Each structure stands twice: as structure tokens, then as C-alpha cells.
Amino acid sequence: MAHDNLKIIPLGGLGEFGMNCMALRWKDDILVIDAGLMFPESELLGVDIVVPDISYLVENRRMVRGIVLTHGHEDHIGGLPWILSELNVPVYGTEFTLAYVEGKLEEHKLLDDTELIEIAPGSKFTIGPFTVEPIRVTHSLVDCVALAIETPVGVVVHTGDFKVDLSPPDGKAFDLHKFAEYGKRGVLALLQDSTNVDRPGYTPSEWSVKPRLDEIFSRTKKKLFFSCFSSSIYRMGIALDLAHQHGRKVAIIGRSMVESSEIAQDLGYINISPGLIINPGQIGDHAPENVMVLISGTQGEPMSALSRAAVDNHKHARISPGDTVLLSSRVIPGNEKSIYRVIDHLCRRDAQVIFDDGASGLIHVSGHASQEEQRLMINLLRPKFFIPVHGDYRHLKKHAELAKSMGVVDAAILIEDGDVLEVNANEARKTGKVTAGRVCIDSGSSADVVADIVIRDRRHLSEDGIVLPILTINKLSGKVERLPELVTRGFVGADPAMLEEARKVVGLTLENSSAEEKADYGVIKEKIRIDLKRYIQKNTSRRPLIMPVILEI
């Protein structure tokens, strides 16, 4: 009977924010929802991005029928290049989402080999045994959808990221009616976004930022630098409209901001008045009170346009005393230091900095549903089983409790990455685990996977430094020419007396080794490493990385 259950298998995004990836499996067919990344915590030294471990999909590659994307944020599409390098499957997404995906795949030279299939709200399509209907939802990005997936055991609804905005700037409102229709027909399982489960009430509409932004435009006497997430197309549109109303020309600076604005303009999400946009090189040709600079770098990213402008290191973006810098975004947890560092630099230049400090009026609104909207969705769909997704464990737990307290679901089930939840018309139960976790990527020229041992070594180096015992061995006689040298870097406690003793320890190790051991460089290096490690740990309580080096002369 187990073969006739639908398996719901999260591979990322349940137990952390980011790298959202969910697999639905019916017999020998697997449908994947989203393929995101997350940005690393500071302890993942030197790692650029983190993607989900897709060992399960690779092991079952012949069953994977396609990847369906809910929207174009990095935590939902950023892992695609790494997944598609392992699995050559079609990718389904809305027009705007696929425009972002194309740029990403082109960068990784995967575009020509990938089949991209455009989907639209209300138009059903079939992937194996699954019939999928995208449903229009609103979020901080445009062209976002939830997915109603008809499976052989019932309908599963995956909300993606959403909030209920009935009057978004693009006029494409959240489709309450479609959700209500599915609720009347009956929903087996609802997988719902948990991000803002801590927030009571409703999340304000995107329009709610306009009054405060209008007021800031009115009282800004010199240049206005407007920074928001490059994917905040609604916010960008509002800023451009206000610039036009207040007689300001607009220069767009920062690669991600330029790319997003071009895509949004091409697809009709932003309408720019003729003559409004100027080249960044023309900023100095206009009076400061007639210029707005739309600039990327709202999270204080070290090489972003705003970070460079804040230290006078940008060719075109020059911040002068009296200019206003507006950060229309939230502080993403973990980015506080870099953001406040940029704000400090801006203040040193006598700029007025406005950021989301809880002052009167909104300059940023969330793209995620608060508690009342989450309740509204549960009431509309009245699912048999409720499964919270997208969030740390505490968010998932609180969301499950919220659903239970409403009394409209049969069961609220908490699952995490790697859990296998088997569902049929009568029951849902956890039946096992698959391999899940995170894969660390150094996205240099070759985008290499960083193994755990590498991160461990980096942490080791950062905490206790490195010690290099250098041995000089005569190639002909095989004898050690002189007492070993010790070179240290980043190692605290390396006073001359202690180093001299450490040299003697290495010399003693060599004396007590046979000619055969000395001839085998691998063996002698390991003996030196063990003896030196023991000596240093005993005398300094530190554990530097010890790497013996043998020079032949």
C-alpha cells in the first residue's frame, strides 16, 4: 500500500530560511518545487553560497520530471545552476521568473541545454501524474504564483511566498476566488509560507509606503539616493513615479538594479516617462535637487554600488554633504554589521540617512503574510492536512500551532529537511528520511563545492593559526642537514624560547626514527605532526594547523 501514497519530501527551506526545495513523489515520478540557495552564516568562512543537498534527486534522476518555480527570488531559484548541472530536466516558471532564470543560466553556460517552459496563472499543465494550476499570489516581487497540484490521492496546495494584497501596484491582485474554489472542492494538504508567523494582524499593501516616500521626496533639498532590493519591482516603480512627479531625473546604478529595471521595463511592469532616465555619467550635468539615484547595495554588500559610494570609491555616485540616502528595505538578520558600517560612512559624509528605524510612516513593507492572512488562507482552503514550510523550526512549530488552534484541519504536521511524509486520502505519517543538508559553494571561476573538512580547516586556521616545521634533507645521503626551522602564521604564544623547544621536539622525533621511516616522507611528516601537536597543546592549550614541509637538497 505504501507505493500508493504521495510522498512529500522537503530538501531545503524547512528548518532554515532560504534554499527552498521540495520534492513530491508518486510511484516513479518526482516533481520538484523551487530550487533556492541561502547566503552563508559568518562561520562558513569564505563560502559564497549554500545550496540544498540533492543526493535524493540524483539517485532517482530517471524519475525527476521537472522543476516548477513559484517566483524569482534567489532563495527559490538561486540553486538552479547547481541542480541543472546534475539533472537535465525542464524548468517551469512565469514570464518574469524565467527572465531572471535566463540571466542566471547564461552566466553559468547552461541556458542552451535547459528547456524553459513558461506558465501562467489559471493555465493548467501536466507533469507525469501531476496536474498543476498556478494561482496568482502577491509578494514583494512580481509575477508570483502558488501551485495547486492535483495528485492521484487529492489536491496539494503549495503557497510559495505570499501576502494577501488586493490592490498591488501592477493591478494583478491576489486571487482569493481561486483559492476559495479549491477549498470548496476539497484540499488534501496545504503547504504554507511560515516566514511572518510571529507577526500579528495583516501585512500592509505595497502602496502603503508611498505617503512617507512622497514626503521624503518633498523635503529633500539635494540629491536623493534611493536604495531597495533589486527585485523590489513595485518599490522601484513607485520611486520612479515619485521622481517624475517631483521633477527629478533618475540615474540607475549597480548591475543588479540595471538588470532588474530593464527586465521589468521590457515586460511592462515599470512604465518610465520619456526623458526621465539619464546616464550615470550625466549626474553632474543637473542641479542636485533635480536628481535621484536608484542604487543597489541595501544590505551593505562590500562591493555593491552603495558601499563603494559611501567611501568615495564610485566613478559616478558621489555623496555630498546634505544629500539624502534612503534605504527602503529591511535589515536581513546577519547583515546588521555591514549595513550599519555603510550608514556610518554615509554619516561621515554629512548625508542624511533614512532607514527602517520604526519612525512614523512606512518606508518598507514585508512581502510575507502575517497571522491573519495565514488564518484566512487556512479558512479558505480548509485542508485535511496542514504542513508549514519556509522558516526556522520555531516558525514551523508556531505555524502548526496556529493551524491547530483554528479547528479546521484534521492534523498539522511538522516536518524538516529530509523527512519523508507519506500522504493518502485518509492519513499522513512520517515514514523515514532521505539524505538532505547543505552544500557549500565557493563561486569563483569554477564554482567549487567546499567540503566540510575545508571549512573545518579554515575555522582551525582562523582560531589557532598555522605552524610549518621545515626539514632540509640531503637527497643523496637521506640525512637531515640541520635542526628544523619553524615558521608560524596567526599563532599566538609563539615566543622564541617555546619555538626553540619545539624545534628540539622535532629534532628528537627525527633522532628516534629509523632510516626506513625517514626515507618515507609520509610517515615522518605524520610522526612530526603528532609529536609537535602534543607539545604545543600541552604548553599553550592551542591547536594550530601543523603542516610539516620537507625540502630536498
Side-chain angles (χ1 to χ4, degrees):
M1 281 299 290
H3 204 54
D4 290 340
N5 289 341
L6 175 73
K7 291 179 180 175
I8 297 174
I9 307 166
L11 299 174
L14 275 73
E16 68 273 306
F17 280 109
M19 65 178 201
N20 298 294
C21 187
M22 175 76 71
L24 297 188
R25 177 172 175 176
W26 174 261
K27 296 184 178 177
D28 291 337
D29 293 283
I30 296 174
L31 168 67
V32 180
I33 300 168
D34 289 332
L37 58 72
M38 65 188 277
F39 294 103
E41 304 96 341
S42 56
E43 64 260 26
L44 292 177
L45 302 160
V47 169
D48 295 310
I49 57 170
V50 183
V51 297
D53 185 334
I54 56 158
S55 302
Y56 175 75
L57 300 179
V58 174
E59 287 159 16
N60 297 285
R61 64 171 71 242
R62 287 180 298 115
M63 301 179 192
V64 181
R65 302 290 168 247
I67 300 170
V68 186
L69 305 172
T70 57
H71 66 287
H73 272 144
E74 286 290 311
D75 57 337
H76 293 259
I77 68 167
L80 268 177
W82 288 273
I83 292 177
L84 291 172
S85 64
E86 297 281 350
L87 303 167
N88 190 2
V89 295
V91 176
Y92 298 77
T94 58
E95 183 183 34
F96 190 89
T97 302
L98 290 186
Y100 268 6
V101 168
E102 280 179 15
K104 192 167 286 299
L105 296 186
E106 194 164 12
E107 194 180 322
H108 289 84
K109 299 180 172 54
L110 288 166
L111 186 56
D112 293 342
D113 301 324
T114 306
E115 185 184 4
L116 299 179
I117 300 168
E118 192 179 315
I119 62 175
S123 298
K124 291 185 180 183
F125 58 97
T126 302
I127 302 177
F130 306 104
T131 300
V132 184
E133 180 172 9
I135 306 172
R136 170 84 60 202
V137 295
T138 43
H139 182 43
S140 53
L141 186 59
V142 299
D143 217 6
C144 305
V145 291
L147 304 170
I149 303 160
E150 292 174 33
T151 76
V153 291
V155 174
V156 174
V157 175
H158 189 298
T159 65
D161 286 355
F162 80 98
K163 69 177 181 181
V164 180
D165 191 343
L166 299 178
S167 60
D170 63 357
K172 296 175 179 178
F174 186 96
D175 195 346
L176 282 172
H177 299 294
K178 183 62 73 175
F179 285 107
E181 274 176 36
Y182 273 100
K184 282 177 192 163
R185 285 169 48 189
V187 171
L188 178 65
L190 168 61
L191 285 69
Q192 190 178 54
D193 174 19
S194 308
T195 306
N196 274 357
V197 71
D198 287 334
R199 294 193 188 184
Y202 295 88
T203 302
S205 165
E206 285 293 322
W207 279 124
S208 58
V209 300
K210 193 170 181 181
R212 176 98 199 276
L213 297 184
D214 194 13
E215 179 224 322
I216 291 166
F217 270 82
S218 299
R219 60 183 170 80
T220 296
K221 298 285 182 263
K222 291 194 172 180
K223 291 196 296 293
L224 174 61
F225 289 82
F226 189 103
S227 188
C228 62
F229 295 118
S230 60
S231 60
S232 296
I233 305 301
Y234 294 134
R235 196 77 42 82
M236 217 184 284
I238 289 170
L240 289 164
D241 286 347
L242 286 170
H244 179 61
Q245 287 170 30
H246 289 269
R248 288 179 181 266
K249 298 288 185 186
V250 179
I252 303 175
I253 291 178
R255 193 183 75 156
S256 60
M257 196 66 88
V258 170
E259 286 174 1
S260 281
S261 61
E262 284 175 356
I263 291 170
Q265 207 177 339
D266 288 347
L267 300 181
Y269 285 95
I270 289 178
N271 294 312
I272 296 177
S273 308
L276 181 68
I277 303 295
I278 57 171
N279 190 292
Q282 298 174 296
I283 291 173
D285 300 344
H286 298 268
E289 63 272 17
N290 295 333
V291 174
M292 179 187 93
V293 180
L294 193 58
I295 190 166
S296 61
T298 180
Q299 295 302 298
E301 302 93 328
M303 290 310 292
S304 66
L306 184 61
S307 291
R308 286 186 288 133
V311 291
D312 281 343
N313 190 23
H314 195 284
K315 188 161 62 169
H316 301 302
R318 295 276 177 201
I319 293 167
S320 310
D323 286 350
T324 296
V325 181
L326 171 61
L327 303 178
S328 180
S329 62
R330 73 184 178 98
V331 174
I332 293 178
N335 292 349
E336 295 89 347
K337 273 189 178 175
S338 52
I339 293 170
Y340 290 125
R341 192 182 302 122
V342 169
I343 290 172
D344 278 352
H345 288 311
L346 294 168
C347 290
R348 280 196 181 94
R349 273 149 193 79
D350 283 335
Q352 186 193 1
V353 187
I354 302 169
F355 57 101
D356 200 1
D357 54 359
S360 60
L362 291 167
I363 59 167
H364 173 70
V365 290
S366 172
H368 298 271
S370 298
Q371 287 176 7
E372 292 309 314
E373 293 150 281
Q374 291 170 342
R375 286 194 177 96
L376 172 64
M377 284 286 277
I378 295 166
N379 265 324
L380 278 176
L381 291 165
R382 305 184 85 79
K384 189 175 181 70
F385 304 117
F386 177 83
I387 301 140
V389 297
H390 305 173
D392 292 332
Y393 189 82
R394 68 181 187 277
H395 295 89
L396 305 179
K397 191 170 193 303
K398 188 167 184 178
H399 203 178
E401 287 165 359
L402 178 140
K404 271 183 209 163
S405 70
M406 293 174 61
V408 300
V409 302
D410 285 12
I413 303 150
L414 261 176
I415 57 174
E416 290 187 89
D417 295 347
D419 286 341
V420 178
L421 180 70
E422 295 202 19
V423 184
N424 59 35
N426 304 310
E427 64 171 349
R429 58 195 171 90
K430 283 190 254 189
T431 58
K433 283 189 89 70
V434 302
T435 302
R438 60 190 187 180
V439 176
C440 299
I441 305 283
D442 255 350
S443 58
S445 57
S446 56
D448 294 320
V449 172
V450 184
D452 286 346
I453 191 166
V454 175
I455 291 166
R456 195 178 70 216
D457 284 349
R458 287 176 179 177
R459 191 170 297 131
H460 202 151
L461 284 165
S462 73
E463 289 168 358
D464 290 323
I466 186 170
V467 174
L468 301 172
I470 302 173
L471 283 68
T472 310
I473 291 183
N474 188 306
K475 197 166 22 175
L476 299 174
S477 66
K479 288 182 179 174
V480 177
E481 289 289 311
R482 54 179 170 268
L483 203 59
E485 293 293 325
L486 282 187
V487 176
T488 68
R489 291 289 182 271
F491 173 48
V492 179
D495 60 87
M498 182 253 164
L499 285 178
E500 192 57 38
E501 279 303 310
R503 287 176 73 194
K504 288 176 184 172
V505 167
V506 178
L508 205 58
T509 304
L510 291 166
E511 274 178 42
N512 296 333
S513 300
S514 66
E516 200 176 359
E517 285 176 323
K518 287 181 196 171
D520 188 327
Y521 290 171
V523 169
I524 200 67
K525 279 182 180 180
E526 189 59 17
K527 282 189 77 174
I528 290 168
R529 196 186 66 77
I530 290 167
D531 288 352
L532 195 53
K533 176 185 170 188
R534 193 179 295 127
Y535 170 77
I536 291 173
Q537 203 168 344
K538 184 180 173 186
N539 286 275
T540 68
S541 300
R542 295 187 179 278
R543 299 177 59 206
L545 193 66
I546 298 169
M547 289 181 64
V549 176
I550 294 178
L551 300 176
E552 288 185 324
I553 59 167

